[in-house]
Amino acid sequence: MPTEEELYANIDALLQEEPQLPPPTERARLREAAGITQARLATALKTTTQTVKNYENGRSEPKEPRLSAYQRLLNGWAAKFPAHGTPAAPVQAPVAAPPPAPVPETFTAVPTVEADLAEPDPPADAQPVRPARPVVSSRRPAAKKAAKAALDPRFPHGPLAVLDGDGSAYGVDGIVLDCPATTIPELVEWTLKESGLGAAKLNRHGKDSDPLIVLTAAAAVKLGLPERLEGHEQRRNLRLPEDHPVVKQVVKAKWQLTQRGFGPWARIYRKAQGRERQCVQLAILSWDALDERSWPGVAEMEPADVARVLGVYAQRVITPRGSTAVSGLELMTALRPPTKAVQDPATGNWVSGYNQGSLGTEPMDPAPPEATPEHPVVVNSGWSGGFLNEEAYQWVRSVDSLSDEECLLPYAVGLDLNTAFLAAAARLTVGLSAPDHFTAPTFNPKIPGSWLVDLSGIDLDPRLPSPFTPDGTRPTGPAWYQTHTVAYAQELGHDVHPIEAYLRRETGAYLDPWHDRLKTAYVDTLADLGVTKDLDDAAFLAAMEQHKQNDPALAAVLAAIKATVKGGVGKLRERPQGKSYKEGEPWPALQRPTWRPDIRAAVISKARVNMHRKLNNMVKMTGLYPLAVLSDCVVYPSPGDSPLDFLPYAASGKPQPGGFRLGATPGLAKLEGVQSMLWAVELMEKGLNPARHIKGGDAVLDEGE
């Protein structure tokens, strides 16, 4: 029988042990839920960003006193952002948002202000939330569900619903709501007052996502809309004319439409009254709201399955507000809101102010070489000094450079890098302030900007594409390059002497939270499809071969995530549209703070440099040269029909670092396709790119447009 002293001694020993932290993945989830970047957390903990990354991937653990501070922070976040699957009390009526949880001492608390941080209180005469009924339908039920996000009591029924013609509104997690609306104004009122739909903000300084209602063709017709936009209704880029009865109904009910009008993605709102935000996003399936290239097969799914696809996307990425390109751009702003609450030192009042690290609220003119030829900055100044040409690779090797040994290999194998643009966005320093002009500056690889440099004297192996041009040809004289391209010339051992430059003094890793959220969404969705990070290379290839068949709905989510990455980068330099456009006139995209061609150039420059670095390392490790490159796809001659037959491995069987590696995370490779070597050579002789056709069809060049 143990003595009392022995028991107390054992208890005291337990109390003296170091506190236990939640699992690494939960640490990352809590930080992301709080809208804090790894760099900011590192500053608070007085450590490095890499150390925080190690905490969140399980490679290392903090020691005292940092351990206790980190645990205190995580505990505070855990109370504010419950883990997935945490049960919440059933909600029968809209509930005002609870008061903010205490901010950990490692951060500065900011009082709530109406303009930025306050959430809408329900009006006194608000109708009770209509309880959801279980699915009772002859339709095919949705397949397996994704992990639930923490439930916000203000939005008990999730971020969106798919409305069918019988009034059934299909939400996430299999719920079905009864919607009695027979007109668009009634639908808007029901959505805001009774549906319980919406999503919490992604950053504490941001705004909640407005509810999304997706209309099937039957629902559109029931609400007075045409089943499809055609004929006279198709004028002005797929919008209903202003004299259409539904548009008149909206105006009569004192609702407003955005400048896009009533199109496939219609946004209906009233100006906020006090703290109450009144806005509903509509998407009409039969008007091609969900593009087949970004959402393969979704428009033809049953309403419950459409709700599942869009619901998973909304929970992991953002509630859609338009095309995946629009959503990609909106996600940047949602994660880096332009304003936050700041205290006016003169009055002591809390007002809306600049949020450090964001792009602010005002658009910014690019430097002339960063702009497009039709941009007012170029036309009005008469600029003729050339432009950045930082685009994705589109290169085919000369057939004359093929050796007999290469031609005798039986296969051409294509590798595709997972979300290469997303991988390039990681830890990418970009400019946050306006560009300043410098003459004959000393090159500094840490300063983002555009440099006029002559790289034509650099002699490289012609069997590899030049890292300095998208078509892989050698530069012919001075040209404008983004910082990463010039830094890579230095990395290859060459002196660089810029002639002039446009540089930005204020910098930051603006895209870091965007990268982190999309990377997590991509990896988690692949894992749900059976492709996990712990698979060996052979198992990974086998899993990738069948992952789309495992769950077509989640495969569509994966496609949408990839399209969000490419489209979001492309939106940073959206070009003018329409035959009536005249050079020198401003176009709508220029009014956005997120019209930033320099950031787009930085992402693509880094992605292309990353590709060339791997190509170069492959030569050193294997002696193999590529046949062609198209954006993030590269084709190699191979003795077998698998990447395992030519990728470099150590004696232990582990992949060699530096070259192409197979895996499920952004930046790693997967099999794109296999053809015969004879097939590839015949295409090359015709001047065609094997990387475009290696999959068995025409690939799409990812230009970030």
Side-chain angles (χ1 to χ4, degrees), residues 206-227:
K207 295 180 175 62
D208 293 333
S209 290
D210 298 313
L212 168 64
I213 301 293
V214 181
L215 304 181
T216 65
V221 171
K222 176 183 177 182
L223 294 168
L225 298 169
E227 184 173 345

Side-chain angles (χ1 to χ4, degrees), residues 383-702:
W383 172 261
S384 59
F387 299 95
L388 279 175
N389 189 24
E390 299 289 10
E391 303 294 342
Y393 266 134
Q394 188 172 196
W395 170 80
V396 180
R397 184 173 156 194
S398 170
V399 176
D400 296 337
S401 68
L402 294 175
S403 67
D404 292 341
E405 291 79 7
E406 288 176 312
C407 292
L408 290 174
L409 290 173
Y411 295 102
V413 177
L415 295 176
D416 179 70
L417 299 186
N418 301 322
T419 56
F421 288 172
L422 184 60
R427 301 181 300 279
L428 177 67
T429 301
V430 301
L432 300 178
S433 58
D436 292 320
H437 182 254
F438 298 86
T439 301
T442 301
F443 178 68
N444 186 336
K446 295 183 179 180
I447 301 179
S450 303
W451 310 76
L452 182 63
V453 191
D454 189 351
L455 301 180
S456 62
I458 298 178
D459 192 20
L460 298 173
D461 194 318
R463 292 171 291 182
L464 289 177
S466 167
F468 311 127
T469 60
D471 63 3
T473 59
R474 184 171 178 166
T476 57
W480 289 96
Y481 301 98
Q482 203 276 336
T483 297
H484 279 90
T485 303
V486 184
Y488 189 56
Q490 262 192 351
E491 181 183 322
L492 293 175
H494 303 282
D495 291 331
V496 293
H497 303 284
I499 302 167
E500 58 179 308
Y502 285 91
L503 309 176
R504 288 169 165 80
R505 300 177 188 273
E506 295 180 26
T507 65
Y510 171 72
L511 293 174
D512 257 11
W514 186 80
H515 162 270
D516 293 347
R517 186 166 179 84
L518 285 169
K519 176 184 176 181
T520 300
Y522 180 83
V523 171
D524 287 352
T525 306
L526 260 185
D528 287 344
L529 288 165
V531 186
T532 56
K533 294 188 289 187
D534 58 347
L535 298 176
D536 62 35
D537 285 0
F540 167 76
L541 290 172
M544 285 299 297
E545 190 172 355
Q546 63 177 11
H547 76 284
K548 292 183 180 179
Q549 287 73 41
N550 289 343
D551 189 333
L554 280 180
V557 175
L558 187 69
I561 292 170
K562 293 189 287 186
T564 301
V565 173
K566 297 170 184 175
V569 172
K571 277 283 185 180
L572 292 168
R573 195 193 69 171
E574 185 175 359
R575 305 290 287 270
Q577 301 174 5
K579 296 179 180 179
S580 61
Y581 175 76
K582 296 180 181 179
E583 287 193 354
E585 294 179 347
W587 59 96
L590 300 188
Q591 301 305 310
R592 300 192 312 247
T594 49
W595 197 87
R596 290 294 301 272
D598 57 302
I599 297 180
R600 173 185 177 275
V603 172
I604 298 178
S605 167
K606 186 178 175 184
R608 197 181 65 243
V609 164
N610 287 346
M611 172 66 81
H612 191 277
R613 188 181 287 115
K614 294 178 188 295
L615 297 173
N616 211 21
N617 289 337
M618 285 287 288
V619 173
K620 297 174 182 177
M621 291 186 285
T622 68
L624 288 177
Y625 290 86
L627 302 176
V629 183
L630 181 75
S631 188
D632 48 11
C633 177
V634 56
V635 178
Y636 273 100
S638 172
D641 62 356
S642 169
L644 302 177
D645 295 314
F646 67 89
L647 289 179
Y649 290 89
S652 63
K654 293 184 177 180
Q656 290 276 27
F660 293 102
R661 297 176 55 188
L662 300 175
T665 57
L668 298 186
K670 59 181 179 291
L671 178 63
E672 178 73 357
V674 181
Q675 301 287 347
S676 71
M677 183 64 179
L678 179 61
W679 169 91
V681 172
E682 288 178 348
L683 285 183
M684 294 166 68
E685 289 176 338
K686 297 176 182 177
L688 301 177
N689 193 323
R692 185 183 295 277
H693 308 280
I694 191 76
K695 199 172 183 177
D698 284 350
V700 176
L701 175 63
D702 299 327

Side-chain angles (χ1 to χ4, degrees), residues 337-355:
T339 60
K340 68 176 183 179
V342 296
Q343 193 168 28
D344 186 338
T347 65
N349 295 330
W350 290 91
V351 297
S352 177
Y354 173 65
N355 184 23

Side-chain angles (χ1 to χ4, degrees), residues 169-200:
Y170 295 82
V172 298
D173 298 322
I175 68 168
V176 182
L177 307 173
D178 290 314
C179 176
T182 58
T183 67
I184 291 295
E186 289 176 0
L187 174 62
V188 172
E189 296 282 355
W190 173 83
T191 302
L192 293 174
K193 294 182 179 180
E194 298 184 51
S195 71
L197 297 173

